């Protein structure tokens, strides 16, 4: 009996002619009873008095853009427990499969396998009385070279008419991220949203890679737009460096983002390059607190966490005693802070300049709400359009240039000493400034990438 069985490896190529799938890699799993295939966008229809299911299969793990429309008669609905232990209903079809020289009918459950390494799983019902599994081998019955696979799928590949861009961020539903996606698509480009925490990399001198959840190899990108939130700066910048190593243009570099996020280092760079900022102090020992306060002209003064953002981690101390208490409280928990003079004459106002590729594309004035000193929109501030002075424009452009940021939100405050730089944001939000100015900043960001890559649409 065993002599009649073919040896099959732990991975094999399958062909589904009836479904129009010319080749799909399957993981052979004798521990699973039923075979399953990656499927999305299900739709039940009635044909000849029977239920049929229409669905889409993305058969190539490394190319998510290919989706084949399939249909088959529905033979069952089953409750299946996923690998995470959650039970869910799965639709079941029956269709012929070709593996090597053998063609036979199997049952397939339709499942979203986007997070799985293989787009198909071949279970033991398909193996029984046909194959013996040798887990040490692969592709024993049929092996396709990359060139053969590309030829089979040639009709499904879209002709490239634009750039392929990745938006590396955390939340696809944020206004800024949605606008950037819309702007890229409106200009004829392909853009993918990549969750920074679901991207990982392979470091190797011969074949370095970047992969996405489930083993999707990220390749052929022309550009990456980083929108890294502060909590994932270290990991996000590591990914940006890897994209850069693979020859992908990153709109803001890892080094530029890291510098902009370190408020102490950024302040030192500004000071070194003759960029005027409010008088700023930094100390480690609580014994120096009184002199630190005196050094920045005393209270009222601003106390900032080194990695604060959107106005969070920024405190106004109105008296020297209050300043001492806040500073010493931060130091007691080993938190690094900056102490900065308070510009009273600003009256709770600051200016946000949006810089793209060495040009101020929009400016707005932000006004803090009553009783609040922070003008950030996220802290309840209101925004209005403003015409900036030549000195303010020069300051904004110089600050972005010193940090080497192609895209930057530069915050400036007006003082009796002239314009002062508050900080520079490497992932500036679009909602407040687009609404206040009516400018299409997302489009400006995409146009800047086109110019940088010399793309002619």
């Amino acid at each position: 009996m065993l002599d009649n069985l073919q040896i099959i490896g732990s991975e094999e190529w399958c062909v589904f002619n009836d479904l129009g799938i010319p080749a799909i890699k399957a993981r052979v799993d004798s521990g699973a009873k039923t075979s399953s295939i990656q499927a999305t966008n299900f739709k039940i229809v009635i044909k000849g008095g029977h239920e049929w299911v229409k669905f889409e299969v993305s058969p190539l793990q490394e190319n998510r853009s290919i989706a084949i429309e399939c249909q088959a008669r529905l033979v069952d609905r089953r409750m299946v427990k996923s690998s995470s232990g959650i039970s869910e209903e799965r639709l079941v079809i029956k269709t012929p499969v070709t593996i090597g020289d053998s063609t036979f009918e199997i049952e397939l459950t339709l499942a979203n396998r986007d997070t799985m390494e293989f787009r198909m799983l071949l279970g033991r019902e398909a193996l029984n009385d046909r194959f013996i599994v040798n887990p040490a081998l692969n592709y024993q019955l049929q092996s396709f070279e990359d060139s053969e696979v590309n030829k089979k799928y040639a009709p499904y590949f879209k002709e490239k008419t634009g750039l392929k861009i990745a938006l590396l961020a955390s939340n696809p539903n944020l206004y800024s991220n949605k606008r950037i996606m819309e702007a890229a698509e409106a200009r004829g480009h392909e853009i993918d949203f990549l969750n920074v925490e679901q991207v990982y990399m392979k470091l190797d001198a011969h074949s370095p890679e970047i992969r996405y959840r489930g083993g999707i190899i990220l390749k052929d990108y022309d550009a990456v737009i980083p929108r890294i939130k502060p909590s994932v700066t270290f990991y996000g910048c590591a990914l940006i460096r890897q994209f850069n190593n693979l020859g992908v243009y990153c709109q803001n570099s890892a080094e530029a983002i890291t510098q902009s996020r370190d408020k102490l280092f950024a302040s030192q760079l500004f000071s070194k390059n003759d960029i005027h900022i409010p008088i700023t102090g930094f100390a480690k020992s609580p014994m120096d607190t009184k002199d630190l306060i005196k050094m920045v002209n005393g209270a009222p003064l601003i106390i900032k966490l080194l990695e604060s953002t959107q106005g969070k981690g920024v405190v106004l101390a109105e008296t020297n005693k209050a300043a001492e208490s806040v500073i010493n409280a931060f130091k007691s928990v080993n938190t690094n802070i900056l102490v900065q003079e308070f510009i009273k004459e600003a009256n709770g106002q600051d200016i946000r300049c949006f810089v793209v590729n060495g040009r101020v594309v929009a400016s707005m004035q932000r006004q803090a709400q009553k009783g609040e000193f922070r003008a950030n929109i996220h802290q309840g501030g209101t925004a209005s359009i403003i015409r900036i002075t030549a000195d303010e424009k020069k300051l904004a452009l110089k600050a972005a240039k010193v940090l080497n940021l192609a895209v930057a939100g530069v915050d400036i405050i007006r003082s009796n000493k002239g314009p002062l730089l508050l900080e520079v944001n490497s992932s500036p939000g679009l909602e407040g400034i687009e609404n206040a100015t009516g400018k299409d900043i997302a489009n400006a960001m995409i146009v800047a990438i086109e110019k940088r890559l010399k793309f002619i649409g």
Side-chain angles (χ1 to χ4, degrees):
M1 178 68 178
L2 293 178
D3 293 340
N4 297 325
L5 303 183
Q6 290 180 285
I7 294 176
I8 193 171
S10 62
E11 300 168 15
E12 293 290 346
W13 283 98
C14 298
V15 177
F16 292 93
N17 288 319
D18 284 16
L19 297 179
I21 299 172
I24 184 169
K25 246 184 235 181
R27 164 76 76 187
V28 178
D29 185 359
S30 58
K33 181 181 178 184
T34 310
S35 303
S36 67
I37 194 168
Q38 188 276 343
T40 55
N41 299 329
F42 309 108
K43 184 180 180 182
I44 305 296
V45 296
I46 305 298
K47 289 175 63 175
H50 298 285
E51 283 188 316
W52 283 61
V53 58
K54 292 184 177 181
F55 55 97
E56 289 183 355
V57 174
S58 296
L60 299 181
Q61 184 74 20
E62 63 277 9
N63 191 329
R64 292 179 294 165
S65 65
I66 291 178
I68 296 177
E69 295 181 3
C70 307
Q71 61 176 330
R73 185 174 168 182
L74 186 64
V75 298
D76 200 4
R77 288 181 170 86
R78 293 178 192 156
M79 294 303 295
V80 176
K81 187 174 286 189
S82 68
S83 56
S84 58
I86 301 173
S87 294
E88 58 184 11
E89 185 183 71
R90 296 259 180 92
L91 303 178
V92 183
I93 65 169
K94 191 175 280 189
T95 188
V97 61
T98 299
I99 307 175
D101 296 327
S102 304
T103 300
F104 51 93
E105 200 169 60
I106 63 168
E107 284 190 347
L108 282 175
T109 60
L110 306 181
N112 189 333
R113 298 179 57 84
D114 271 345
T115 59
M116 304 297 180
E117 186 179 357
F118 285 81
R119 312 304 261 175
M120 181 183 165
L121 184 146
L122 197 65
R124 63 176 178 271
E125 281 188 340
L127 305 174
N128 286 344
D129 301 326
R130 294 189 181 96
F131 306 109
I132 293 177
V133 182
N134 184 339
L137 302 174
N138 289 326
Y139 312 117
Q140 290 301 289
L141 303 181
Q142 186 159 254
S143 180
F144 295 133
E145 298 294 329
D146 288 346
S147 58
E148 293 178 82
V149 175
N150 290 337
K151 188 175 180 180
K152 289 176 182 293
Y153 282 100
Y156 300 97
F157 282 103
K158 297 175 184 175
E159 185 180 349
K160 187 173 179 180
T161 56
L163 297 173
K164 186 175 181 182
I165 303 171
L167 176 59
L168 188 65
S170 295
N171 184 354
N173 297 315
L174 285 182
Y175 174 93
S176 299
N177 295 336
K178 288 197 290 187
R179 284 287 297 113
I180 290 168
M181 299 278 286
E182 290 167 0
E185 289 169 355
R187 294 190 66 83
H189 305 303
E190 178 186 343
I191 185 164
D192 294 328
F193 182 89
L194 302 178
N195 187 318
V196 63
E197 294 176 71
Q198 294 178 4
V199 183
Y200 54 103
M201 59 190 132
K202 173 189 172 188
L203 306 177
D204 176 69
H206 300 292
S207 56
E209 287 180 345
I210 301 177
R211 297 193 178 201
Y212 200 47
R213 60 185 184 212
I216 300 167
I217 298 174
L218 300 178
K219 58 183 180 179
D220 301 326
Y221 284 108
D222 298 295
V224 169
I225 302 172
R227 302 281 301 177
I228 309 297
K229 63 183 181 182
S231 62
V232 292
T233 298
F234 176 81
Y235 188 67
C237 286
L239 292 172
I240 294 166
R241 283 192 295 272
Q242 185 77 346
F243 274 112
N244 182 67
N245 291 343
L246 294 175
V248 181
Y249 168 64
C250 300
Q251 194 164 39
N252 275 340
S253 70
E255 181 186 26
I257 293 169
T258 301
Q259 289 178 164
S260 71
R261 292 277 163 87
D262 185 337
K263 285 186 168 48
L264 176 60
F265 184 36
S267 297
Q268 290 174 314
L269 286 174
F270 299 146
S271 179
K272 178 183 176 182
N273 288 276
D274 196 31
I275 293 176
H276 295 178
I277 62 174
I279 298 170
T280 302
F282 177 77
K284 186 68 175 172
S285 170
M287 294 174 65
D288 300 315
T289 300
K290 281 185 169 62
D291 194 44
L292 187 66
I293 293 170
K294 185 179 177 183
M295 192 169 67
V296 299
N297 295 331
L301 55 79
I302 303 294
I303 301 162
K304 288 183 177 181
L305 293 178
L306 281 192
E307 291 194 351
S308 60
T309 182
Q310 297 176 350
K312 298 171 186 174
V314 181
V315 177
L316 170 64
E318 296 189 358
T319 67
N320 285 357
K321 190 170 183 181
E324 283 186 51
S325 298
V326 174
I327 292 168
N328 291 335
F330 276 130
K331 289 188 178 303
S332 69
V333 291
N334 293 318
T335 301
N336 288 317
I337 57 168
L338 290 178
V339 177
Q340 202 167 68
E341 72 171 319
F342 177 61
I343 309 300
K344 186 178 180 181
E345 62 267 26
N347 294 317
Q349 293 178 344
D350 70 14
I351 297 168
R352 162 62 64 88
C353 298
F354 206 106
V355 177
V356 179
N357 271 21
R359 193 166 65 91
V360 177
V361 297
S363 301
M364 68 174 172
Q365 179 174 274
R366 301 183 298 190
Q367 174 67 57
Q369 62 180 339
K370 192 173 181 181
E372 174 62 71
F373 70 97
R374 296 166 295 182
N376 304 71
I377 304 299
H378 286 86
Q379 299 300 329
T382 55
S384 59
I385 193 168
I386 187 173
R387 186 180 182 87
I388 60 173
T389 66
D391 284 344
E392 289 162 350
K393 180 179 179 180
K394 184 179 177 182
L395 178 61
L397 294 178
K398 189 174 181 181
K401 186 176 181 180
V402 163
L403 291 177
N404 198 28
L405 287 168
V407 173
V410 182
D411 295 340
I412 295 171
I413 196 167
R414 288 173 170 171
S415 77
N416 294 334
K417 297 179 283 188
L420 300 175
L421 177 67
L422 287 179
E423 64 179 299
V424 180
N425 191 324
S426 59
S427 296
L430 274 62
E431 185 170 13
I433 197 162
E434 283 198 339
N435 290 338
T437 65
K439 299 282 184 67
D440 190 346
I441 295 174
N443 182 71
M445 290 174 65
I446 302 301
V447 170
I449 291 174
E450 293 174 357
K451 289 181 178 177
R452 175 65 175 73
L453 298 179
K454 297 180 173 59
F455 172 79
I456 301 173

